[in-house]
Amino acid sequence: MGGITMTRRVDLLNFVKGKSQCTVFPFGKIVTGGRLWTPVLSILQDAKQTKILYRYLFTFKHDLIMHSRDSKVRAHCVRNFAISKPVWNRTLGASQNLNRSVKAERSLVEVINRDNRTGRTADNGFVVFMEKENEYFHDYLSNTIQYKPFFFPGCRNEDTFKSSTDSSTNLDQMLNNFNSTKISQDQLLSILKELTCLPTKQHLNLFLDPNFHQLCKCLLSQLTDMSNKAYFESMETMSRFNFRQCITSDLRDLRIMIAKSYDQENIARISDWDPRQLLLVADFYFHLRCSSMPWVGYLKRMFSTLFISKILGQLGNEEIVTLLLHVGLARQIGERELNDAVLKICQQIDSYTIEELGIVSLAYFKTNKPVKNTLFQEKIAAKLNSCIKDVEPICLSAILKCLQKSSNKIWMRYRPEMLQMMIDLQPSLSLRMSSLTPQTALHVISIFHNFKYISEKLISSFSVKLTHDDLLEWRFKDMALAVRLLAELSECFPNKTEILDRLTDELMSAHRESEVTSYLDYLARFLLGMAMAGVYSVPLLKWLFRPDSLAYFADHKINVYRDLYQLSESVRIECPSYSGPLLSDHLVKAQSKKSYICGRMPRIAVNNPGDGEVVNVSKRDQMMLQCIRALEWVLGGQQHLWVDFLLPHYQTADIELCTHFSQRKDKTGGLLSDPFDSEVCSTDQRVAVLLYAENAYYSLIRADGSVSHVLRGNYAMKRRQLKHLGFRIIEIPFYEFSQLEIEKKYEYVLNKVKLAEVLSKDYVNKLVLPTQ
């Protein structure tokens, strides 16, 4: 028990129970007071054997994490109480009067408690998830022998958690005795090199020292006078400090000051450097965490079309991969220059590792450019197939993101072998789903959803992950995407209600409040996905449609308003119990003037198709035109059908059968002539003919290997809402209709109308199929 008796344990239990009525972190105050650190830790180590005490300690788990500065207590709580590591970061350091050492400790704690899988940190009151791709691929190259010449050594990662008992050796004396007016370049660099030998834990303390700031300013003032050798030596020295962990505002200013001073000098010297030196300087920005900063002029110059075209011919294989690593970090390069670089890689692509191809893939994805090199696509797909069981999740995610960015319908029609290679990945990915990070798992599902080919096993493994995964691992935008994918594939999720309830509870928890408030566009996607699945959360809907929340979308792109409009109208139809605010008609009209919130009519003479062929239209419009002609014959005239947006919040028009004279009016406002009489029409219901094009379905690969067409969630919601409004539905899917000959299409439409029982049997039996 670590020296604590049962009596003391019971006393502490009673003390904790007595404090349970406190309103402000009762147990956290006990821990931070320093009085019970050792006994608490001792009890924690034996807590699982003392079930009653464990239950009470579990009640105060968040308070322990939020306030404890004892790393052992935090680590044990995280390990044995399943407490998220960054939870305590959100409140630690609330006091504005922390001294220098406490500030440094706070910064260090944010570093130590960053999640190993997702890189979570606390910022502005909510959890921020930091991408680990950059660190992973940078470490891979910088630790590979042939790539080392293009990278600075950086700080010593093995010292991050080293004890710093001797870290104060003459540190204050060194800095206090520093005289900037009498020091030479060599002496200055010598002092800095000596400081880099301190454990990296001590660097955060160092960065807050005013004397160290003065030392850095002295170095920056001498950059212009340095020789090229001394200049690179200074960059190598500065890269050894732990600047990548300067993630708080009070530490960020120092590295930004250093980066900007070097940036000015780098621009002046860039034309004198060879490719190796150019890549070294780019690596310096990585160590200062400034690779993607918009003000970095050196990288803009380096990745400019003229400069890249000039140096590309001088680069070997290693230089090109390193260059593309920095392209991904900086997120900038021209599409032509990127494709030219990858073209050189494709000449020897079989010799590259999966990690190197992952770096190239990430460059495509981060610069938002599709892969047009079909050889590269095929080779990385084949490479991924050969090592799918062993590839690291981060590398897997990078490649899938690249392929997803480049995927389109052409793959299915003109490159069946490529599609098959991707489909062959699904069994192995299903087995690995539980061990993948949330982001990688989402990319796996997304890419196959884009291809419209997905297996039952893959969906099942994703369902299990959503049911059992720790939702603290998930970013808000990941949850929004997960809900959208679940809604699109909802017919294959038997436990969708359980999953949606779980995600909703997580989103409504207190620790997500600031995150949700800051990213309301994700909330709109999340709620629209739930609506597609037929589930509505009244509290979240009220939150989204508040006037102050809608003001958030003032400068957003039009597709956000389409989502809001579709969600608002769906609530009106399917959630009558909701009594809160919705999107106003005034706001819809105002946005409609800027762009089309609603859909556009198809490019055919929809209400007067005639007999001539219509060219240059989509396959769905061609399908609609053929269906209109068949319906005109069935109904006995054009006046009995109408093409319109039956649901104004949808982007596609459908056909309504005018089976009763009171349903439609002509342009003058009068009733349409020639209505069906009771002998012809057997229903007073409005009848909707829904045309489902190829894009409305995805192909579900069953466990027995068979493939079936499953309607996507957005179209299923449309059908559901029309039924709710009282429509009788006739559905015409492409895979049944498009393959038929002309005369068969007339017969097919007639049979659909018969099954809907829209027309009287006597009228239908008199119809004779037209001869072609």
Side-chain angles (χ1 to χ4, degrees), residues 67 119 142 152 162 289 323 328 365 392 473 665 670 674 733:
H67 289 273
S142 60
F152 285 120
K162 182 181 289 186
R289 200 185 285 278
L323 174 69
F365 179 78
E392 288 292 328
E473 302 271 346
K665 297 181 179 181
D674 193 19

Side-chain angles (χ1 to χ4, degrees), residues 560-721:
V560 176
Y561 281 100
R562 289 197 186 111
D563 289 348
L564 287 173
Y565 182 44
Q566 185 174 5
L567 176 61
S568 178
E569 294 302 308
S570 298
V571 172
R572 295 181 200 274
I573 296 172
E574 294 192 289
C575 191
S577 61
Y578 176 78
S579 58
L582 290 171
L583 199 65
S584 67
D585 294 337
H586 173 74
L587 186 56
V588 172
K589 291 178 181 178
Q591 290 299 323
S592 296
K593 293 178 181 178
K594 300 177 183 178
S595 182
Y596 279 91
I597 283 186
C598 305
R600 306 188 186 198
M601 294 297 286
R603 291 178 55 196
I604 58 175
V606 289
N607 293 314
N608 187 18
D611 297 324
E613 289 294 330
V614 179
V615 296
N616 298 325
V617 297
S618 68
K619 288 192 173 182
R620 186 183 188 277
D621 288 350
Q622 292 177 1
M623 180 178 171
M624 175 174 280
L625 181 58
Q626 294 168 348
C627 192
I628 288 173
R629 289 172 177 169
L631 285 170
E632 282 183 350
W633 164 73
V634 171
L635 301 177
Q638 178 188 345
Q639 68 273 21
H640 297 301
L641 58 93
W642 193 260
V643 177
D644 200 0
F645 295 100
L646 305 183
L647 293 176
H649 51 282
Y650 270 85
Q651 298 291 303
T652 53
D654 291 290
I655 304 170
E656 180 177 358
L657 306 188
C658 302
T659 59
H660 195 271
F661 70 89
S662 62
Q663 293 177 4
R664 288 291 175 188
K665 297 181 179 181
D666 61 21
K667 295 181 180 179
T668 64
L671 297 178
L672 289 172
S673 60
D674 193 19
F676 283 128
D677 55 34
S678 58
E679 294 181 358
V680 176
C681 180
S682 62
T683 180
D684 287 333
Q685 277 185 288
R686 298 178 67 179
V687 181
V689 180
L690 302 184
L691 306 179
Y692 297 138
E694 186 175 0
N695 192 50
Y697 294 90
Y698 61 91
S699 299
L700 183 67
I701 305 172
R702 303 287 184 182
D704 59 1
S706 62
V707 178
S708 58
H709 296 283
V710 180
L711 192 65
R712 292 172 54 190
N714 195 32
Y715 296 89
M717 180 169 74
K718 184 179 186 179
R719 176 182 60 191
R720 191 177 67 236
Q721 290 182 3

Side-chain angles (χ1 to χ4, degrees), residues 78 83-89 109-122 127-132 394 437-439 470 472-474:
V78 168
I83 302 171
S84 172
K85 297 179 183 179
V87 168
W88 74 283
N89 289 344
V109 163
E110 290 182 3
V111 174
I112 292 175
N113 287 278
R114 183 179 303 128
D115 189 274
N116 291 329
R117 293 175 63 192
T118 60
R120 297 178 298 183
T121 60
V127 178
V128 176
F129 293 75
M130 299 173 59
E131 297 291 345
K132 283 301 206 178
I394 289 178
T437 63
Q439 293 77 22
D470 180 8
L472 284 170
E473 302 271 346
W474 291 69

Side-chain angles (χ1 to χ4, degrees), residues 236-290:
E236 180 178 351
T237 302
M238 296 307 291
S239 72
R240 289 184 178 275
F241 290 105
N242 200 12
F243 283 111
R244 285 198 62 74
Q245 310 301 352
C246 295
I247 55 178
T248 55
S249 57
D250 47 1
L251 301 181
R252 190 181 299 119
D253 294 340
L254 175 63
R255 68 177 172 85
I256 295 298
M257 177 188 73
I258 295 172
K260 286 187 174 181
S261 297
Y262 271 98
D263 192 53
Q264 294 177 3
E265 188 63 24
N266 290 337
I267 293 174
R269 296 179 183 236
I270 188 172
S271 59
D272 299 328
W273 291 330
D274 58 34
R276 187 187 72 84
Q277 292 171 318
L278 291 169
L279 295 173
L280 270 175
V281 176
D283 186 52
F284 181 66
Y285 289 97
F286 170 84
H287 289 291
L288 267 67
R289 200 185 285 278
C290 294

